[in-house]
């Protein structure tokens, strides 16, 4: 045992710092994969880019951090130190980079919602921060900020929202959600750390406008499977667009782990096979590009039907089984979040059921509790 309390704190502080260094390391060096193909051929630009990053495996160092932390924890008889240890290790295990866990992108700060539109127009910091805090506390890895309805003022308002949220929640990361390149540029400039760009697609005009920004700011990027030919229900065409976007981003020094491909979700009320088509695309992308994430705006699947939440929850389970590992959802929907935690465990992605048991102890799986307000 340590000689005194301060010595114990010093040792434990060093452990937490070590874990923090490993997180940074993991963001910069990704595991090598040579199983990436486009149209049945090896994607050489992807493999070449991965080779530069594959200095060694981040998992080895991550395990070292956990072993070191556990060794120190074994000597901690003080409850306060134990809590600090749990926080440090939990931060490492739950970091959204390089782990098998659903990445939640909170969808509620969206200017298509009337309360958000009014708050943005009035610069109502209190309402925006309340939405941000609740989503972050509910487990979001990113907070999506959509300011599209602000029209000419969008770049200024995008920057204002990002600075406001990160000023109050320094650890929060933002998904910059805009079709306006000027707003994207303003958001990237204002953001501290690496944002998530939502989104690029296969349209030439969009590529020409965003690739310079991607090269300058190096955000993580969502790619939509649509190009100049418009929307298609052909699974092969949408897969090819996704594969081409992966190649494009890799050639611009974006790691596979920082690429999120959205297969696009369409209402089953309009196209009966829409759900199956998107699931097929997800599965093919995960098979051929194992380092790439798949993401979707899941609520589109239920548009025009009653009991939309039920449809969304069931489709989330189906999608996770086909490789979906990121989703733009309402994190205040307790039933959806509980379903995600449970599915993650049943899919073998929750070692010794740790996250499920933690959620149970927190009461997150008790759906009889009063639910939080959800988006209109």
């Amino acid at each position: 045992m340590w000689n005194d309390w301060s010595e114990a704190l010093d040792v434990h502080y060093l452990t937490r710092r070590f874990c923090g260094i490993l997180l940074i390391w993991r963001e910069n060096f990704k595991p090598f994969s040579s199983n990436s193909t486009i149209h049945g051929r090896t994607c050489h630009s992807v493999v070449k880019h991965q080779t530069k990053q594959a200095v060694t495996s981040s998992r080895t160092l991550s395990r070292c951090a956990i072993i070191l932390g556990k060794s120190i924890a074994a000597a901690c008889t003080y409850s306060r130190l134990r809590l600090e240890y749990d926080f440090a290790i939990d931060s490492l295990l739950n970091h959204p980079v390089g782990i098998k866990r659903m990445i939640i992108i909170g969808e509620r700060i969206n200017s298509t919602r009337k309360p958000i539109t009014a708050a943005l127009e009035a610069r109502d910091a209190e309402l925006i921060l309340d939405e941000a805090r609740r989503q972050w506390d509910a487990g979001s890895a990113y907070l999506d900020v959509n300011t599209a309805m602000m029209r000419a003022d969008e770049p200024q308002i995008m920057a204002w929202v990002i600075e406001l949220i990160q000023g109050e929640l320094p650890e929060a990361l933002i998904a910059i959600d805009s079709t306006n390149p000027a707003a994207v540029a303003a958001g990237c400039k204002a953001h501290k750390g690496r944002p998530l760009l939502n989104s690029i697609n296969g349209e030439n005009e969009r590529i020409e406008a965003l690739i310079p920004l991607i090269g300058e700011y190096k955000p993580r990027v969502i790619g939509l499977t649509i190009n100049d030919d418009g929307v298609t229900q052909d699974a092969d065409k949408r897969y090819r667009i996704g594969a081409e976007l992966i190649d494009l981003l890799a050639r611009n020094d974006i790691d596979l782990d920082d690429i999120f491909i959205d297969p696009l979700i369409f209402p089953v009320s309009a196209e009966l096979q829409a759900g199956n088509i998107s699931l097929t695309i997800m599965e093919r992308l995960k098979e051929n590009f194992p380092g790439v994430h798949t993401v979707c705006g899941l609520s589109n699947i239920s548009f025009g039907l009653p009991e939309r939440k039920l449809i969304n929850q069931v489709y989330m389970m189906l999608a996770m089984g086909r490789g979906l590992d990121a989703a733009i959802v309402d994190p205040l929907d307790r039933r959806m979040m509980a379903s995600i935690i449970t599915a993650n465990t049943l899919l073998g992605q929750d070692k010794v059921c740790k996250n499920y048991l933690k959620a149970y102890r927190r009461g997150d799986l008790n759906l009889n509790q009063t639910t939080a307000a959800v988006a209109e």
Side-chain angles (χ1 to χ4, degrees), residues 207-247:
I207 290 171
E208 291 173 3
L210 293 184
I211 284 298
L213 295 175
I214 291 171
E216 180 178 357
Y217 294 103
K218 293 293 185 293
R220 304 183 92 188
V221 183
I222 293 176
L224 305 183
T225 52
I226 183 174
N227 62 13
D228 289 317
D229 294 331
V231 176
T232 176
Q233 291 297 333
D234 188 313
D236 290 335
K237 290 182 180 179
R238 274 162 48 196
Y239 168 79
R240 285 197 296 271
I241 295 170
E244 289 164 0
L245 285 172
I246 293 168
D247 186 36

mmCIF file of all heavy atoms in Angstrom, residues 207-247:
data_model
loop_
_atom_site.group_PDB
_atom_site.id
_atom_site.type_symbol
_atom_site.label_atom_id
_atom_site.label_comp_id
_atom_site.label_asym_id
_atom_site.label_seq_id
_atom_site.Cartn_x
_atom_site.Cartn_y
_atom_site.Cartn_z
ATOM 1 N N ILE A 207 -18.817 17.018 -54.092
ATOM 2 C CA ILE A 207 -17.439 16.568 -53.893
ATOM 3 C C ILE A 207 -16.459 17.733 -54.062
ATOM 4 O O ILE A 207 -15.560 17.939 -53.238
ATOM 5 C CB ILE A 207 -17.111 15.436 -54.884
ATOM 6 C CG1 ILE A 207 -17.889 14.159 -54.505
ATOM 7 C CG2 ILE A 207 -15.612 15.146 -54.906
ATOM 8 C CD1 ILE A 207 -17.790 13.051 -55.540
ATOM 9 N N GLU A 208 -16.651 18.512 -55.112
ATOM 10 C CA GLU A 208 -15.748 19.636 -55.375
ATOM 11 C C GLU A 208 -15.791 20.677 -54.268
ATOM 12 O O GLU A 208 -14.778 21.310 -53.941
ATOM 13 C CB GLU A 208 -16.109 20.282 -56.715
ATOM 14 C CG GLU A 208 -15.799 19.399 -57.921
ATOM 15 C CD GLU A 208 -16.321 19.978 -59.220
ATOM 16 O OE1 GLU A 208 -16.885 21.108 -59.181
ATOM 17 O OE2 GLU A 208 -16.174 19.329 -60.277
ATOM 18 N N ALA A 209 -16.963 20.849 -53.648
ATOM 19 C CA ALA A 209 -17.103 21.851 -52.594
ATOM 20 C C ALA A 209 -16.528 21.379 -51.264
ATOM 21 O O ALA A 209 -15.977 22.185 -50.501
ATOM 22 C CB ALA A 209 -18.579 22.216 -52.422
ATOM 23 N N LEU A 210 -16.624 20.076 -50.986
ATOM 24 C CA LEU A 210 -16.274 19.593 -49.646
ATOM 25 C C LEU A 210 -14.898 18.964 -49.520
ATOM 26 O O LEU A 210 -14.321 18.977 -48.425
ATOM 27 C CB LEU A 210 -17.334 18.593 -49.159
ATOM 28 C CG LEU A 210 -18.723 19.171 -48.889
ATOM 29 C CD1 LEU A 210 -19.644 18.095 -48.327
ATOM 30 C CD2 LEU A 210 -18.663 20.352 -47.919
ATOM 31 N N ILE A 211 -14.364 18.401 -50.594
ATOM 32 C CA ILE A 211 -13.054 17.751 -50.486
ATOM 33 C C ILE A 211 -11.969 18.710 -49.982
ATOM 34 O O ILE A 211 -11.143 18.326 -49.133
ATOM 35 C CB ILE A 211 -12.651 17.099 -51.820
ATOM 36 C CG1 ILE A 211 -13.434 15.794 -52.021
ATOM 37 C CG2 ILE A 211 -11.156 16.802 -51.860
ATOM 38 C CD1 ILE A 211 -13.175 14.724 -50.967
ATOM 39 N N PRO A 212 -11.926 19.973 -50.437
ATOM 40 C CA PRO A 212 -10.925 20.891 -49.861
ATOM 41 C C PRO A 212 -11.099 21.098 -48.357
ATOM 42 O O PRO A 212 -10.103 21.177 -47.623
ATOM 43 C CB PRO A 212 -11.167 22.198 -50.633
ATOM 44 C CG PRO A 212 -11.778 21.764 -51.927
ATOM 45 C CD PRO A 212 -12.648 20.600 -51.573
ATOM 46 N N LEU A 213 -12.343 21.167 -47.885
ATOM 47 C CA LEU A 213 -12.589 21.325 -46.452
ATOM 48 C C LEU A 213 -12.183 20.066 -45.696
ATOM 49 O O LEU A 213 -11.622 20.144 -44.601
ATOM 50 C CB LEU A 213 -14.074 21.635 -46.199
ATOM 51 C CG LEU A 213 -14.594 22.967 -46.742
ATOM 52 C CD1 LEU A 213 -16.099 23.068 -46.526
ATOM 53 C CD2 LEU A 213 -13.876 24.125 -46.070
ATOM 54 N N ILE A 214 -12.478 18.914 -46.284
ATOM 55 C CA ILE A 214 -12.086 17.650 -45.658
ATOM 56 C C ILE A 214 -10.569 17.559 -45.566
ATOM 57 O O ILE A 214 -10.008 17.128 -44.553
ATOM 58 C CB ILE A 214 -12.674 16.462 -46.447
ATOM 59 C CG1 ILE A 214 -14.200 16.422 -46.269
ATOM 60 C CG2 ILE A 214 -12.049 15.142 -46.005
ATOM 61 C CD1 ILE A 214 -14.911 15.433 -47.166
ATOM 62 N N GLY A 215 -9.885 17.983 -46.615
ATOM 63 C CA GLY A 215 -8.432 17.970 -46.595
ATOM 64 C C GLY A 215 -7.848 18.914 -45.564
ATOM 65 O O GLY A 215 -6.811 18.620 -44.952
ATOM 66 N N GLU A 216 -8.512 20.047 -45.342
ATOM 67 C CA GLU A 216 -7.999 21.035 -44.394
ATOM 68 C C GLU A 216 -8.271 20.657 -42.943
ATOM 69 O O GLU A 216 -7.384 20.765 -42.091
ATOM 70 C CB GLU A 216 -8.623 22.403 -44.689
ATOM 71 C CG GLU A 216 -8.154 23.511 -43.750
ATOM 72 C CD GLU A 216 -8.739 24.867 -44.086
ATOM 73 O OE1 GLU A 216 -9.486 24.968 -45.097
ATOM 74 O OE2 GLU A 216 -8.464 25.838 -43.349
ATOM 75 N N TYR A 217 -9.485 20.197 -42.647
ATOM 76 C CA TYR A 217 -9.884 19.980 -41.252
ATOM 77 C C TYR A 217 -9.835 18.522 -40.814
ATOM 78 O O TYR A 217 -9.902 18.246 -39.608
ATOM 79 C CB TYR A 217 -11.293 20.538 -41.022
ATOM 80 C CG TYR A 217 -11.356 22.046 -41.150
ATOM 81 C CD1 TYR A 217 -11.875 22.648 -42.297
ATOM 82 C CD2 TYR A 217 -10.877 22.870 -40.129
ATOM 83 C CE1 TYR A 217 -11.930 24.029 -42.421
ATOM 84 C CE2 TYR A 217 -10.935 24.255 -40.243
ATOM 85 C CZ TYR A 217 -11.456 24.829 -41.394
ATOM 86 O OH TYR A 217 -11.498 26.204 -41.516
ATOM 87 N N LYS A 218 -9.763 17.580 -41.754
ATOM 88 C CA LYS A 218 -9.685 16.147 -41.452
ATOM 89 C C LYS A 218 -10.795 15.677 -40.496
ATOM 90 O O LYS A 218 -10.538 15.021 -39.487
ATOM 91 C CB LYS A 218 -8.314 15.802 -40.866
ATOM 92 C CG LYS A 218 -7.172 15.968 -41.855
ATOM 93 C CD LYS A 218 -7.270 14.944 -42.980
ATOM 94 C CE LYS A 218 -6.068 14.999 -43.919
ATOM 95 N NZ LYS A 218 -5.946 16.206 -44.710
ATOM 96 N N PRO A 219 -12.056 15.984 -40.790
ATOM 97 C CA PRO A 219 -13.132 15.484 -39.933
ATOM 98 C C PRO A 219 -13.397 14.017 -40.199
ATOM 99 O O PRO A 219 -12.906 13.448 -41.186
ATOM 100 C CB PRO A 219 -14.329 16.326 -40.380
ATOM 101 C CG PRO A 219 -14.073 16.533 -41.848
ATOM 102 C CD PRO A 219 -12.575 16.699 -41.959
ATOM 103 N N ARG A 220 -14.141 13.373 -39.327
ATOM 104 C CA ARG A 220 -14.751 12.097 -39.682
ATOM 105 C C ARG A 220 -15.898 12.440 -40.631
ATOM 106 O O ARG A 220 -16.462 13.536 -40.563
ATOM 107 C CB ARG A 220 -15.240 11.364 -38.439
ATOM 108 C CG ARG A 220 -14.132 11.159 -37.404
ATOM 109 C CD ARG A 220 -14.607 10.377 -36.202
ATOM 110 N NE ARG A 220 -14.360 8.954 -36.397
ATOM 111 C CZ ARG A 220 -14.805 8.003 -35.587
ATOM 112 N NH1 ARG A 220 -15.547 8.316 -34.533
ATOM 113 N NH2 ARG A 220 -14.526 6.738 -35.810
ATOM 114 N N VAL A 221 -16.248 11.523 -41.545
ATOM 115 C CA VAL A 221 -17.146 11.894 -42.640
ATOM 116 C C VAL A 221 -18.240 10.851 -42.854
ATOM 117 O O VAL A 221 -17.961 9.648 -42.896
ATOM 118 C CB VAL A 221 -16.361 12.068 -43.959
ATOM 119 C CG1 VAL A 221 -17.292 12.528 -45.078
ATOM 120 C CG2 VAL A 221 -15.212 13.060 -43.787
ATOM 121 N N ILE A 222 -19.473 11.340 -43.010
ATOM 122 C CA ILE A 222 -20.599 10.497 -43.434
ATOM 123 C C ILE A 222 -20.748 10.645 -44.945
ATOM 124 O O ILE A 222 -20.761 11.763 -45.471
ATOM 125 C CB ILE A 222 -21.907 10.912 -42.739
ATOM 126 C CG1 ILE A 222 -21.834 10.617 -41.240
ATOM 127 C CG2 ILE A 222 -23.098 10.177 -43.361
ATOM 128 C CD1 ILE A 222 -23.056 11.082 -40.460
ATOM 129 N N GLY A 223 -20.858 9.509 -45.636
ATOM 130 C CA GLY A 223 -21.069 9.519 -47.081
ATOM 131 C C GLY A 223 -22.421 8.927 -47.428
ATOM 132 O O GLY A 223 -22.743 7.816 -47.004
ATOM 133 N N LEU A 224 -23.206 9.668 -48.200
ATOM 134 C CA LEU A 224 -24.533 9.205 -48.614
ATOM 135 C C LEU A 224 -24.449 8.521 -49.976
ATOM 136 O O LEU A 224 -23.778 9.014 -50.888
ATOM 137 C CB LEU A 224 -25.512 10.373 -48.705
ATOM 138 C CG LEU A 224 -25.694 11.249 -47.466
ATOM 139 C CD1 LEU A 224 -26.760 12.311 -47.735
ATOM 140 C CD2 LEU A 224 -26.079 10.412 -46.262
ATOM 141 N N THR A 225 -25.180 7.423 -50.137
ATOM 142 C CA THR A 225 -25.113 6.637 -51.367
ATOM 143 C C THR A 225 -26.072 7.186 -52.419
ATOM 144 O O THR A 225 -27.037 6.538 -52.833
ATOM 145 C CB THR A 225 -25.412 5.156 -51.068
ATOM 146 O OG1 THR A 225 -26.644 5.074 -50.325
ATOM 147 C CG2 THR A 225 -24.303 4.525 -50.261
ATOM 148 N N ILE A 226 -25.760 8.391 -52.859
ATOM 149 C CA ILE A 226 -26.513 9.050 -53.919
ATOM 150 C C ILE A 226 -25.511 9.807 -54.780
ATOM 151 O O ILE A 226 -24.500 10.297 -54.280
ATOM 152 C CB ILE A 226 -27.588 10.008 -53.332
ATOM 153 C CG1 ILE A 226 -28.421 10.637 -54.448
ATOM 154 C CG2 ILE A 226 -26.948 11.079 -52.464
ATOM 155 C CD1 ILE A 226 -29.583 11.465 -53.920
ATOM 156 N N ASN A 227 -25.759 9.875 -56.094
ATOM 157 C CA ASN A 227 -24.859 10.619 -56.972
ATOM 158 C C ASN A 227 -25.660 11.470 -57.944
ATOM 159 O O ASN A 227 -26.860 11.696 -57.740
ATOM 160 C CB ASN A 227 -23.885 9.676 -57.687
ATOM 161 C CG ASN A 227 -24.593 8.674 -58.592
ATOM 162 O OD1 ASN A 227 -25.784 8.808 -58.895
ATOM 163 N ND2 ASN A 227 -23.864 7.663 -59.032
ATOM 164 N N ASP A 228 -25.026 11.912 -59.011
ATOM 165 C CA ASP A 228 -25.694 12.810 -59.955
ATOM 166 C C ASP A 228 -26.852 12.152 -60.697
ATOM 167 O O ASP A 228 -27.678 12.849 -61.302
ATOM 168 C CB ASP A 228 -24.676 13.348 -60.971
ATOM 169 C CG ASP A 228 -23.707 14.337 -60.346
ATOM 170 O OD1 ASP A 228 -24.165 15.192 -59.561
ATOM 171 O OD2 ASP A 228 -22.498 14.246 -60.614
ATOM 172 N N ASP A 229 -26.942 10.839 -60.659
ATOM 173 C CA ASP A 229 -28.061 10.140 -61.294
ATOM 174 C C ASP A 229 -29.314 10.146 -60.419
ATOM 175 O O ASP A 229 -30.373 9.676 -60.846
ATOM 176 C CB ASP A 229 -27.679 8.688 -61.608
ATOM 177 C CG ASP A 229 -26.591 8.610 -62.664
ATOM 178 O OD1 ASP A 229 -26.519 9.527 -63.507
ATOM 179 O OD2 ASP A 229 -25.794 7.646 -62.626
ATOM 180 N N GLY A 230 -29.185 10.646 -59.200
ATOM 181 C CA GLY A 230 -30.324 10.721 -58.292
ATOM 182 C C GLY A 230 -30.470 9.497 -57.416
ATOM 183 O O GLY A 230 -29.587 8.640 -57.344
ATOM 184 N N VAL A 231 -31.615 9.411 -56.744
ATOM 185 C CA VAL A 231 -31.890 8.316 -55.818
ATOM 186 C C VAL A 231 -32.273 7.058 -56.598
ATOM 187 O O VAL A 231 -32.985 7.127 -57.598
ATOM 188 C CB VAL A 231 -33.039 8.701 -54.864
ATOM 189 C CG1 VAL A 231 -33.398 7.519 -53.957
ATOM 190 C CG2 VAL A 231 -32.654 9.907 -54.026
ATOM 191 N N THR A 232 -31.758 5.930 -56.139
ATOM 192 C CA THR A 232 -32.097 4.658 -56.780
ATOM 193 C C THR A 232 -32.442 3.608 -55.733
ATOM 194 O O THR A 232 -31.921 3.648 -54.617
ATOM 195 C CB THR A 232 -30.919 4.149 -57.643
ATOM 196 O OG1 THR A 232 -31.259 2.861 -58.180
ATOM 197 C CG2 THR A 232 -29.646 4.012 -56.822
ATOM 198 N N GLN A 233 -33.312 2.691 -56.102
ATOM 199 C CA GLN A 233 -33.639 1.565 -55.236
ATOM 200 C C GLN A 233 -32.803 0.339 -55.601
ATOM 201 O O GLN A 233 -33.033 -0.753 -55.071
ATOM 202 C CB GLN A 233 -35.134 1.238 -55.331
ATOM 203 C CG GLN A 233 -36.048 2.280 -54.728
ATOM 204 C CD GLN A 233 -35.841 2.452 -53.232
ATOM 205 O OE1 GLN A 233 -35.404 1.524 -52.546
ATOM 206 N NE2 GLN A 233 -36.145 3.632 -52.710
ATOM 207 N N ASP A 234 -31.841 0.513 -56.491
ATOM 208 C CA ASP A 234 -30.959 -0.588 -56.912
ATOM 209 C C ASP A 234 -29.844 -0.754 -55.875
ATOM 210 O O ASP A 234 -28.994 0.133 -55.710
ATOM 211 C CB ASP A 234 -30.375 -0.272 -58.286
ATOM 212 C CG ASP A 234 -29.598 -1.447 -58.875
ATOM 213 O OD1 ASP A 234 -28.774 -2.038 -58.143
ATOM 214 O OD2 ASP A 234 -29.801 -1.753 -60.060
ATOM 215 N N ALA A 235 -29.837 -1.879 -55.180
ATOM 216 C CA ALA A 235 -28.864 -2.111 -54.111
ATOM 217 C C ALA A 235 -27.431 -2.096 -54.642
ATOM 218 O O ALA A 235 -26.521 -1.573 -53.989
ATOM 219 C CB ALA A 235 -29.153 -3.436 -53.410
ATOM 220 N N ASP A 236 -27.215 -2.670 -55.841
ATOM 221 C CA ASP A 236 -25.868 -2.716 -56.408
ATOM 222 C C ASP A 236 -25.337 -1.320 -56.699
ATOM 223 O O ASP A 236 -24.162 -1.019 -56.430
ATOM 224 C CB ASP A 236 -25.854 -3.541 -57.696
ATOM 225 C CG ASP A 236 -26.052 -5.025 -57.435
ATOM 226 O OD1 ASP A 236 -25.732 -5.469 -56.310
ATOM 227 O OD2 ASP A 236 -26.532 -5.736 -58.345
ATOM 228 N N LYS A 237 -26.168 -0.459 -57.247
ATOM 229 C CA LYS A 237 -25.737 0.903 -57.556
ATOM 230 C C LYS A 237 -25.404 1.682 -56.288
ATOM 231 O O LYS A 237 -24.392 2.394 -56.232
ATOM 232 C CB LYS A 237 -26.818 1.633 -58.355
ATOM 233 C CG LYS A 237 -26.980 1.120 -59.777
ATOM 234 C CD LYS A 237 -28.043 1.912 -60.532
ATOM 235 C CE LYS A 237 -28.196 1.399 -61.967
ATOM 236 N NZ LYS A 237 -29.247 2.144 -62.709
ATOM 237 N N ARG A 238 -26.237 1.547 -55.260
ATOM 238 C CA ARG A 238 -25.972 2.276 -54.020
ATOM 239 C C ARG A 238 -24.720 1.737 -53.334
ATOM 240 O O ARG A 238 -23.942 2.499 -52.743
ATOM 241 C CB ARG A 238 -27.199 2.218 -53.100
ATOM 242 C CG ARG A 238 -28.160 3.337 -53.442
ATOM 243 C CD ARG A 238 -29.554 3.191 -52.957
ATOM 244 N NE ARG A 238 -29.753 2.824 -51.584
ATOM 245 C CZ ARG A 238 -30.915 2.362 -51.127
ATOM 246 N NH1 ARG A 238 -31.936 2.185 -51.957
ATOM 247 N NH2 ARG A 238 -31.069 2.062 -49.861
ATOM 248 N N TYR A 239 -24.502 0.429 -53.430
ATOM 249 C CA TYR A 239 -23.266 -0.131 -52.875
ATOM 250 C C TYR A 239 -22.053 0.437 -53.602
ATOM 251 O O TYR A 239 -21.060 0.812 -52.966
ATOM 252 C CB TYR A 239 -23.273 -1.663 -52.985
ATOM 253 C CG TYR A 239 -21.917 -2.261 -52.706
ATOM 254 C CD1 TYR A 239 -21.455 -2.410 -51.408
ATOM 255 C CD2 TYR A 239 -21.070 -2.624 -53.764
ATOM 256 C CE1 TYR A 239 -20.188 -2.921 -51.151
ATOM 257 C CE2 TYR A 239 -19.814 -3.137 -53.516
ATOM 258 C CZ TYR A 239 -19.374 -3.277 -52.208
ATOM 259 O OH TYR A 239 -18.119 -3.756 -51.959
ATOM 260 N N ARG A 240 -22.118 0.503 -54.928
ATOM 261 C CA ARG A 240 -20.982 1.006 -55.700
ATOM 262 C C ARG A 240 -20.688 2.463 -55.368
ATOM 263 O O ARG A 240 -19.523 2.863 -55.275
ATOM 264 C CB ARG A 240 -21.245 0.841 -57.204
ATOM 265 C CG ARG A 240 -21.103 -0.584 -57.697
ATOM 266 C CD ARG A 240 -20.958 -0.631 -59.200
ATOM 267 N NE ARG A 240 -22.150 -0.126 -59.884
ATOM 268 C CZ ARG A 240 -23.186 -0.879 -60.224
ATOM 269 N NH1 ARG A 240 -23.199 -2.171 -59.932
ATOM 270 N NH2 ARG A 240 -24.217 -0.362 -60.855
ATOM 271 N N ILE A 241 -21.733 3.256 -55.168
ATOM 272 C CA ILE A 241 -21.521 4.660 -54.787
ATOM 273 C C ILE A 241 -20.808 4.724 -53.438
ATOM 274 O O ILE A 241 -19.864 5.497 -53.254
ATOM 275 C CB ILE A 241 -22.859 5.422 -54.723
ATOM 276 C CG1 ILE A 241 -23.491 5.504 -56.105
ATOM 277 C CG2 ILE A 241 -22.644 6.829 -54.155
ATOM 278 C CD1 ILE A 241 -24.922 6.023 -56.106
ATOM 279 N N GLY A 242 -21.245 3.888 -52.492
ATOM 280 C CA GLY A 242 -20.593 3.849 -51.188
ATOM 281 C C GLY A 242 -19.134 3.449 -51.303
ATOM 282 O O GLY A 242 -18.255 4.055 -50.671
ATOM 283 N N ALA A 243 -18.848 2.434 -52.119
ATOM 284 C CA ALA A 243 -17.477 1.973 -52.297
ATOM 285 C C ALA A 243 -16.611 3.054 -52.932
ATOM 286 O O ALA A 243 -15.448 3.246 -52.554
ATOM 287 C CB ALA A 243 -17.465 0.709 -53.157
ATOM 288 N N GLU A 244 -17.169 3.772 -53.887
ATOM 289 C CA GLU A 244 -16.420 4.856 -54.534
ATOM 290 C C GLU A 244 -16.138 5.999 -53.561
ATOM 291 O O GLU A 244 -15.070 6.622 -53.623
ATOM 292 C CB GLU A 244 -17.204 5.349 -55.754
ATOM 293 C CG GLU A 244 -17.206 4.343 -56.906
ATOM 294 C CD GLU A 244 -18.269 4.636 -57.945
ATOM 295 O OE1 GLU A 244 -19.018 5.632 -57.771
ATOM 296 O OE2 GLU A 244 -18.357 3.872 -58.929
ATOM 297 N N LEU A 245 -17.082 6.276 -52.687
ATOM 298 C CA LEU A 245 -16.853 7.324 -51.678
ATOM 299 C C LEU A 245 -15.745 6.912 -50.706
ATOM 300 O O LEU A 245 -14.923 7.742 -50.302
ATOM 301 C CB LEU A 245 -18.151 7.607 -50.919
ATOM 302 C CG LEU A 245 -19.209 8.424 -51.668
ATOM 303 C CD1 LEU A 245 -20.521 8.449 -50.875
ATOM 304 C CD2 LEU A 245 -18.722 9.846 -51.927
ATOM 305 N N ILE A 246 -15.722 5.640 -50.340
ATOM 306 C CA ILE A 246 -14.660 5.146 -49.458
ATOM 307 C C ILE A 246 -13.302 5.344 -50.121
ATOM 308 O O ILE A 246 -12.343 5.826 -49.499
ATOM 309 C CB ILE A 246 -14.895 3.659 -49.108
ATOM 310 C CG1 ILE A 246 -16.147 3.511 -48.244
ATOM 311 C CG2 ILE A 246 -13.673 3.083 -48.378
ATOM 312 C CD1 ILE A 246 -16.615 2.075 -48.086
ATOM 313 N N ASP A 247 -13.222 4.993 -51.399
ATOM 314 C CA ASP A 247 -11.968 5.159 -52.140
ATOM 315 C C ASP A 247 -11.578 6.632 -52.212
ATOM 316 O O ASP A 247 -10.414 7.002 -52.006
ATOM 317 C CB ASP A 247 -12.125 4.566 -53.532
ATOM 318 C CG ASP A 247 -10.825 4.561 -54.321
ATOM 319 O OD1 ASP A 247 -9.764 4.345 -53.707
ATOM 320 O OD2 ASP A 247 -10.872 4.781 -55.535
#
